[in-house]
């Protein structure tokens, strides 16, 4: 995908998906069909998006950085910053996950203050060990204010935000192949295309991203992904062409687009995948673990989940395959009642042979 400031054309071959006359299909390696007319999709701010999967092979060089999550379960937001080269005919980002299981979430890319990408990836996630069972029940802060047993103890979260989630960089020693499958092959893992190659064009008359400028990548998800064994490949895509060469190419594309418009004044309209209707979750809350119910129990950390109108916190819980414990309920703590107040997450308690939900509460 290429972003041209002020131009109006594009090719139509997709990696994962393709703008043009059709969307490509593709999961894993990210290869896709979807070739068609060279009519670009014009978005706001006069940006033109065009798929350019083959350009990484021919006209771009790649600088790959690899990252892993510090915990088995995580939802971000994870932030990676790349320094712009600023001297060539354009640059951008491609993201590949070498992963033993499916991931799903959202990706945002900004070039300084310009948002290049804001979209979802993955149809579903294999994250069963990182989330509570279904169904979950949403309770509000108002509902949790009363009727709470003070004997519930300090289970759940303290209401304090933990440090911002991070990905840990690992040395990259593979080859700079443009093909995601080959990139992950040396790790013995399948490849999932998180973001196809997306670049910002630079010409002699238009240079939005200067040398040393910030290319900001943000990854996050509505529920935790199972990130054990997953390696994220964040690839800096840099054009081999000069700004002057790119300016001539853009001019030729604009002229070709004008000729096609004269032949086909009303081409079919293609719509880009919609952006998420909400932003990333807050930083995770610091949790106090209650005592484990048994030696076989495994701790599942708390996490945020989108309720449809707000981020709700699912307190961490002990999971024991031998015990049919109900799924934790999602609670929306709301604003604290005053400075220093602590949110104590709800939990299930066994009372008279049946489980009773003890609501979360604010503790001053």
């Amino acid at each position: 995908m290429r972003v041209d400031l002020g131009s109006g054309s594009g090719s139509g071959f997709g990696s994962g998906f393709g703008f043009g006359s059709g969307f490509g299909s593709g999961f894993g390696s990210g290869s896709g069909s979807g070739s068609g007319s060279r009519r670009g999709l014009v978005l706001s701010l006069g940006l033109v998006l065009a798929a350019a999967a083959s350009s990484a092979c021919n006209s771009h060089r790649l600088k790959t950085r690899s990252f892993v999550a510090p915990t088995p379960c995580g939802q971000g937001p994870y932030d990676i910053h790349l320094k712009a080269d600023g001297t060539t005919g354009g640059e951008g980002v491609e993201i590949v996950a070498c992963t033993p299981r499916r991931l799903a979430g959202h990706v945002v890319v900004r070039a300084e203050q310009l948002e290049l990408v804001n979209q979802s990836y993955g149809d579903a996630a294999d994250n069963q060990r990182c989330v509570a069972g279904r169904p979950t029940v949403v309770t509000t802060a108002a509902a949790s204010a009363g009727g709470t047993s003070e004997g519930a103890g300090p289970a759940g979260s303290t209401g304090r935000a933990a440090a911002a989630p991070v990905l840990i960089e690992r040395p990259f020693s593979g080859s700079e192949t443009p093909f995601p499958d080959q990139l992950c092959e040396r790790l013995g893992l399948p490849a999932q295309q998180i973001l196809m190659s997306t670049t910002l064009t630079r010409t002699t008359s238009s240079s939005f991203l200067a040398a040393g400028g910030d290319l900001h990548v943000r990854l996050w998800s509505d529920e935790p992904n199972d990130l054990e064994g997953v390696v994220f490949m964040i690839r800096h895509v840099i054009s081999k062409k000069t700004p002057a060469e790119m300016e001539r190419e853009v001019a030729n594309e604009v002229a070709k687009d004008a000729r096609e418009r004269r032949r086909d004044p009303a081409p079919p309209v293609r719509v880009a995948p919609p952006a998420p209707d909400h932003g990333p979750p807050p930083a995770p809350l610091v949790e106090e673990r209650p005592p484990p119910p048994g030696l076989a129990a495994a701790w599942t950390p708390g996490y945020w989940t989108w309720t449809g109108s707000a981020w709700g916190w699912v307190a961490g819980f002990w999971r024991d395959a031998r015990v049919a414990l109900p799924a934790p309920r999602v609670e929306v703590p709301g604003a604290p009642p005053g400075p220093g107040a602590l949110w104590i997450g709800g939990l299930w308690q066994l009372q008279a042979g049946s489980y009773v939900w003890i609501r979360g509460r604010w503790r001053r």
Side-chain angles (χ1 to χ4, degrees):
M1 182 190 301
R2 193 181 72 205
V3 179
D4 296 330
L5 295 181
S7 68
S9 62
S11 59
F13 291 87
S15 172
F17 64 89
F19 291 107
S21 70
F23 286 89
S25 61
F27 173 82
S29 68
S31 62
S33 59
S35 62
S37 70
R38 296 174 59 85
R39 189 61 47 81
L41 173 67
V42 180
L43 301 180
S44 60
L45 301 177
L47 299 182
V48 177
L49 303 185
S54 61
S55 63
C57 303
N58 305 322
S59 58
H60 290 80
R61 56 189 172 92
L62 300 166
K63 291 184 177 180
T64 302
R65 297 169 62 185
S66 63
F67 297 85
V68 298
T71 58
C73 301
Q75 66 181 138
Y78 301 115
D79 294 296
I80 303 296
H81 296 270
L82 307 177
K83 282 189 177 182
D85 176 273
T87 63
T88 69
E91 58 192 301
V93 177
E94 180 185 17
I95 306 173
V96 176
C98 302
T99 173
R101 64 193 66 86
R102 294 178 299 172
L103 307 176
H106 309 283
V107 56
V108 179
V109 178
R110 289 181 173 273
E112 296 291 357
Q113 300 304 312
L114 176 66
E115 186 175 272
L116 301 181
V117 174
N118 186 352
Q119 66 188 46
S120 301
Y121 66 86
D123 295 327
D126 298 323
N127 62 344
Q128 290 77 12
R129 72 168 178 158
C130 296
V131 297
R134 294 293 186 268
T136 55
V137 179
V138 176
T139 60
T140 64
S144 63
T148 302
S149 169
E150 289 299 326
S157 69
T158 65
R160 302 191 306 272
V166 296
L167 293 176
I168 300 173
E169 187 164 8
R170 293 285 187 254
F172 175 75
S173 58
S175 65
E176 294 290 6
T177 172
F179 302 107
D181 281 342
Q182 293 179 6
L183 188 67
C184 299
E185 193 174 57
R186 68 182 184 86
L187 301 175
L189 293 171
Q192 179 178 344
Q193 187 99 45
I194 304 299
L195 177 67
M196 61 181 290
S197 178
T198 302
T199 59
L200 180 66
T201 296
R202 183 183 294 108
T203 67
T204 55
S205 57
S206 174
S207 180
F208 185 83
L209 191 61
D214 184 36
L215 272 171
H216 180 190
V217 176
R218 169 167 281 191
L219 297 168
W220 57 278
S221 54
D222 289 344
E223 288 185 339
N225 278 302
D226 187 342
L227 299 178
E228 185 171 12
V230 175
V231 181
F232 290 99
M233 303 293 188
I234 312 295
R235 319 194 76 186
H236 191 178
V237 183
I238 304 172
S239 176
K240 296 178 182 177
K241 298 180 180 179
T242 66
E245 290 172 331
M246 185 60 69
E247 186 160 10
R248 289 192 294 272
E249 180 177 302
V250 169
N252 291 336
E253 297 249 353
V254 169
K256 184 167 186 176
D257 184 71
R259 292 193 298 271
E260 290 189 356
R261 284 181 183 275
R262 287 194 293 270
R263 290 195 301 266
D264 182 13
V269 176
R270 301 296 173 183
V271 180
D277 61 359
H278 55 279
L285 300 180
V286 176
E287 295 186 306
E288 299 173 356
R289 296 189 188 185
L295 295 178
W299 175 254
T300 299
Y303 60 92
W304 294 102
T305 187
W306 182 249
T307 68
S309 59
W311 284 104
W313 179 254
V314 179
F317 60 96
W318 290 101
R319 173 177 276 151
D320 190 334
R322 303 169 302 173
V323 180
L325 190 68
R329 295 181 176 180
V330 180
E331 300 181 305
V332 182
L342 300 179
W343 172 255
I344 306 301
L347 77 164
W348 291 104
Q349 279 192 347
L350 188 62
Q351 298 180 3
S354 61
Y355 284 102
V356 177
W357 178 254
I358 307 299
R359 294 172 178 171
R361 70 197 187 280
W362 286 106
R363 186 175 65 191
R364 293 178 183 271

